[in-house]
Amino acid sequence: QVQLVESGGGLVQAGGSLRLSCAASGRTFSSYGMGWFRQAPGKEREFVAAISWSGANTYYADSVKGRFTISRDNAKNTVYLQMNSLKPEDTAVYYCAADTKTRYYTSDVNRYDYWGQGTQVTVSS
């Protein structure tokens, strides 16, 4: 079992930055890959970024590449999403997720077996 708790969401103006955190508990954090997803009203949940167990490998959606950075601190059991140059279209509920079946990463939402409760990010124009 894995429990995930996100924090760091909020309201920011376009061009601003936010840093999301996701604290994990339960199974050994360094044994599985992690991802961030988001869901805007009326839309399907979409992949944002993913990271392997060690943090050495990362993968991003084209829409956030160059603006967002995913990282993890295995000593603190936490994964982060640094979001810069935010745009109104980044507005969504952001979820962190754990894929405990692999030490690597995937963008496939169906692969993830544990999810956080989500944190709202709103970017005003």
Side-chain angles (χ1 to χ4, degrees), residues 53-110:
W53 66 279
S54 66
N57 302 101
T58 57
Y59 182 59
Y60 297 92
D62 288 343
S63 59
V64 306
K65 201 173 296 182
R67 299 189 298 122
F68 291 11
T69 302
I70 188 172
S71 62
R72 66 191 295 163
D73 185 338
N74 287 344
K76 295 182 178 180
N77 291 352
T78 302
V79 63
Y80 305 97
L81 185 67
Q82 177 67 45
M83 305 185 295
N84 298 330
S85 302
L86 282 161
K87 305 175 181 179
E89 50 264 44
D90 294 318
T91 295
V93 177
Y94 283 70
Y95 299 89
C96 68
D99 179 2
T100 61
K101 299 178 294 297
T102 182
R103 290 161 64 90
Y104 299 98
Y105 59 83
T106 177
S107 61
D108 184 351
V109 64
N110 295 309

Side-chain angles (χ1 to χ4, degrees), residues 38-47 109:
R38 65 188 182 187
Q39 188 166 17
K43 294 188 176 182
E44 293 187 352
R45 192 167 298 189
E46 66 172 358
F47 170 75
V109 64

